[in-house]
Amino acid sequence: MYVSELNSARAVSVSCDMSAAKAYQQIEDVDHSKFPVVDKEGKLVGIVDKDVLEDISSSSSPFKELKFSSFLSQTKVRDVMNGNVYSAKETDTIWEASLTMKDHRVSILPVVDEENRVVSVLARNDLFKALLNYTGAKYTGLFISVEAKEKTDIFDVVRCIEEAGAELKFISAYHEKICLKVLGSKAEAAEAALKEKGFKIIYTAAVN
């Protein structure tokens, strides 16, 4: 599954040349904590924290007590943004985007096109929902995890499910486990068939 297939949020970006105060006015009512920063061509150049813009813009900001008012009014987004920004491409898989988030410990990823223009914003929750849907978690059925000793066991598992008359919605091999989601009234029959074939059932969970 590719990032372009996700129903991610429309990008709300701020210009690097915009004043911090004006940028905050633009994003004040948007429910995000970080925002992509773009140049005049709409290309990604950084990311900025909403809290930082709020602190600069707020009349109760502790910075204003230091009589930096004139300085703060001239502060641009480029002055307070983080230029070390990570992004995802529309052609990336959801696995690649998830690894980017994990490896760099970021909570959002701007999604860019081939010219590095921001087209949307990907949040952790978007990936979480996508992974759940991909594994068939939203469907009523039976999750089954079986022990796999040979690489070819996955083919025997699929054949066993089909012969039992159940619908196989998802299957994945991970180390010495085969995880699957079985749907339909024959789900329990499929589990029994796997046991008869000699497969060791590690875990089962019914999803209603």
Side-chain angles (χ1 to χ4, degrees), residues 58-158:
S58 174
S59 59
S60 60
S61 170
F63 297 115
K64 295 202 172 183
E65 294 179 7
L66 300 177
K67 299 182 180 180
F68 287 166
S69 297
S70 60
F71 168 76
L72 291 175
S73 65
Q74 298 174 28
T75 301
K76 304 289 186 182
V77 172
R78 67 168 66 252
D79 299 322
V80 293
M81 74 179 189
N82 182 354
N84 188 26
V85 59
Y86 301 97
S87 63
K89 295 180 180 179
E90 293 180 293
T91 52
D92 286 347
T93 64
I94 59 174
W95 316 110
E96 291 170 316
S98 298
L99 286 173
T100 299
M101 277 192 175
K102 180 185 78 69
D103 291 344
H104 300 292
R105 298 180 180 181
V106 294
S107 57
I108 70 162
L109 285 177
V111 179
V112 297
D113 61 18
E114 293 180 354
E115 296 182 346
N116 203 39
R117 290 189 174 91
V118 180
V119 294
S120 62
V121 175
L122 193 61
R124 283 178 182 168
N125 199 41
D126 296 322
L127 289 172
F128 181 67
K129 288 179 180 178
L131 290 170
L132 284 178
N133 289 338
Y134 182 80
T135 58
K138 67 178 181 179
Y139 297 101
T140 299
L142 188 66
F143 273 114
I144 305 174
S145 178
V146 303
E147 184 179 276
K149 296 181 179 179
E150 303 290 340
K151 291 182 179 179
T152 55
D153 282 350
I154 192 168
F155 301 110
D156 292 331
V157 166
V158 171

